[in-house]
Amino acid sequence: MHHATPLINTIVGGLVLAFLLGILANRFRISPLVGYLVAGVLVGPHTPGFVADTSLAPELAELGVILLMFGVGLHFSLKDLMAVKSIAIPGAIAQIAVATLLGITFSTVMHWTLVNGLVFGLCLSTASTVVLLRALEERQLIDSRRGQIAIGWLIVEDLVMVLTLVLLPAYGKLLGGESETMRQVWLDLALTLGKVAAFITLMIVVGRRVVPWVLAKSASTGSRELFTLSVLAMALGIAFGAVELFGVSFALGAFFAGVVLNESELSHRAAHDTLPLRDAFAVLFFVSVGMLFDPLIVIHEPLAVLATLAIILVGKSAAAFALVKLFGHSRRTALTISVSLAQIGEFAFILAGLGISLGMLSPQGQNLVLAGAILSIMVNPLMFALLERYLARHDPGDEETTDRQPGEETQLPLEVCHHALLVGYGRVGSLIGARLAEAGMPMVVIENTRARVDMLRNQGINVVLGNAAKPEILSLARLDCARWLLLTIPNGFEAGEIVALAREKRPDLSIIVRAHYDDEVAYITERGATQVVMGEREIATSMIALLQLDAAKLPY
């Protein structure tokens, strides 16, 4: 590989080994994330053999964070964010305070300075964006009440960490006796808050008009490459501008870029086109984390590592559980939030690196932060698995009822039968819906985008808000007496899951599904679809029909 550059070495070595170990982990019914992390350890500088470029890997991983947060923003409206502010803001701040105090207590036992303990505790206080979102996506919780609270909580944590990264150097100057006063510290804080507020205001006022307009113009060209490029340019450009101009994190900038595009009809297409890149760079994130880990610290300082892990897994989780319950949420929600936050990630690495450069964190503290991050990320999927088993046995209640707050919308089963059940109301779904309405056919739409749900209800159309892969959502839409099930969502493999669920409940139901590729057609058909329509084939058939070819007149 002497002809390859360090960039190619890192990407190829990391992805190939991550794939092999991810397959192996999946074979043993362990989360593939564990395989990705172990791959990072093997290509890192602390193990023999091939060593990837440790400076390039984190930068590649940052791209994954940007694209992932952009995708979350596409599915998370401002209305949803404001709906959880009452729990997300005080809960996240209180949980950060508890984790920081636990870190300071630990530093006392280790005979560290107070400042060392403060930075160490802050490193342990914030969860990993990638780990949390991947866990929620795998369990289809992104659009649930629990998922919205967890994401809102995460956003508040990111904001607090942004402020911390700005104020820590000023605090370090104070401790060093430099000509920095408390007045200057407060000025720095006010300036940072002002920049964050200015960025959010700019995105809401200007971005929500400019970003959809740019993407609409790109889509109107008819070029898929230009549209995908425009999506990436918007996500990466806004994230970069947020850092350079406003001092906000990449993740937060990308999130708000997705939020302003959320109300556009192009949001689902943008999410679909960027999904492969998001997945690939998310894998590189886990590989880069593994590269930082020195396995020998587990042997040299086992008790310190266990204590650090206990703060992350037990201390943070217990604090989050108590806070969520204190705000009147269900045990199911409290447990989900506490397990979601029982790990640390990217901000911990950034903050630890800054602490080292400022002389406010010892190398021992940094190693313990890295060990805690690696081990907590490895353990987190196992905690989710245990949580799911526990909830299935002891708390099998319906999330739509257990998580509802006073004054929230109550979704009841619709009083309709012998209807067409339409999943997804994007470009294809809206065309089908219009034809069904013209024919006078009763119809129920299942849609997970709040803006579309509000629009459909204003038009007098029966609609259920939620993910059709959940049995309770299908029940609300009256799958039990539907005449047809029409799936128009662009994700063929998710459609296959819905088909299997519907077929189990209604063996006699006529199910028609949209697909893009031959492998999706085969997969969906195997899951029980009555008919699968592939757009490309239908276009070709229609074009041939328009030629009105007469076989008798064709030359032989």
Side-chain angles (χ1 to χ4, degrees), residues 371-429:
I374 293 289
L375 296 175
S376 65
I377 290 174
M378 286 183 170
V379 172
N380 195 249
L382 302 178
M383 294 181 67
F384 260 108
L386 292 174
L387 173 64
E388 289 173 346
R389 291 184 181 180
Y390 173 82
L391 292 178
R393 291 181 181 179
H394 303 285
D395 189 14
D398 182 358
E399 180 184 332
E400 294 298 325
T401 56
T402 56
D403 287 351
R404 189 172 292 115
Q405 298 305 302
E408 257 188 16
E409 164 193 12
T410 300
Q411 293 196 116
L412 298 174
L414 298 171
E415 296 182 2
V416 61
C417 267
H418 306 294
H419 57 288
L421 180 49
L422 179 59
V423 178
Y425 208 79
R427 291 184 302 160
V428 177

Side-chain angles (χ1 to χ4, degrees), residues 243-257:
V243 173
E244 292 296 315
L245 301 178
F246 298 95
V248 184
S249 68
F250 281 117
L252 198 65
F255 172 79
F256 275 99

Side-chain angles (χ1 to χ4, degrees), residues 104-309:
I104 292 173
T105 304
F106 174 80
S107 71
T108 303
V109 177
M110 297 292 290
H111 304 292
W112 294 348
T113 64
L114 178 62
V115 175
N116 203 329
L118 175 66
V119 176
F120 180 75
L122 287 169
C123 288
L124 304 186
S125 66
T126 181
S128 165
T129 300
V130 178
V131 175
L132 189 149
L133 294 180
R134 179 59 65 88
L136 295 179
E137 281 183 342
E138 287 179 353
R139 291 156 184 85
Q140 297 180 333
L141 292 174
I142 287 285
D143 298 308
S144 70
R145 177 72 178 177
R146 291 178 284 165
Q148 290 172 358
I149 294 174
I151 294 171
W153 196 299
L154 185 70
I155 291 168
V156 176
E157 284 190 346
D158 283 355
L159 282 171
V160 173
M161 287 302 109
V162 169
L163 296 177
T164 302
L165 292 173
V166 172
L167 293 177
L168 203 60
Y171 186 55
K173 291 178 181 178
L174 274 176
L175 295 175
E178 297 184 26
S179 58
E180 196 78 31
T181 63
M182 283 303 297
R183 180 173 177 272
Q184 186 61 44
V185 173
W186 284 111
L187 285 175
D188 289 343
L189 176 59
L191 181 61
T192 301
L193 288 173
K195 287 182 176 180
V196 172
F199 170 73
I200 294 175
T201 302
L202 182 66
M203 291 304 298
I204 294 174
V205 176
V206 180
R208 68 187 306 178
R209 294 176 175 83
V210 174
V211 173
W213 179 82
V214 171
L215 295 187
K217 288 294 183 183
S218 302
S220 67
T221 64
S223 170
R224 183 171 182 174
E225 302 92 81
L226 279 177
F227 178 77
T228 304
L229 183 60
S230 67
V231 173
L232 293 175
M234 288 291 102
L236 299 176
I238 291 174
F240 182 78
V243 173
E244 292 296 315
L245 301 178
F246 298 95
V248 184
S249 68
F250 281 117
L252 198 65
F255 172 79
F256 275 99
V259 167
V260 298
L261 185 59
N262 178 269
E263 298 177 6
S264 169
E265 287 297 318
L266 295 168
S267 60
H268 283 277
R269 181 178 170 187
H272 180 266
D273 285 2
T274 57
L275 184 61
L277 280 173
R278 296 208 309 268
D279 289 343
F281 282 107
V283 170
L284 284 177
F285 164 78
F286 292 106
V287 173
S288 70
V289 172
M291 290 170 61
L292 297 171
F293 182 52
D294 184 0
L296 292 179
I297 192 173
V298 179
I299 300 174
H300 295 157
E301 301 182 62
L303 294 180
V305 170
L306 286 175
T308 302
L309 196 60

Side-chain angles (χ1 to χ4, degrees), residues 73-86:
L74 287 172
H75 295 93
F76 196 84
S77 67
L78 285 173
K79 185 175 182 180
D80 293 331
L81 182 58
M82 297 307 293
V84 298
K85 68 180 186 301
S86 59

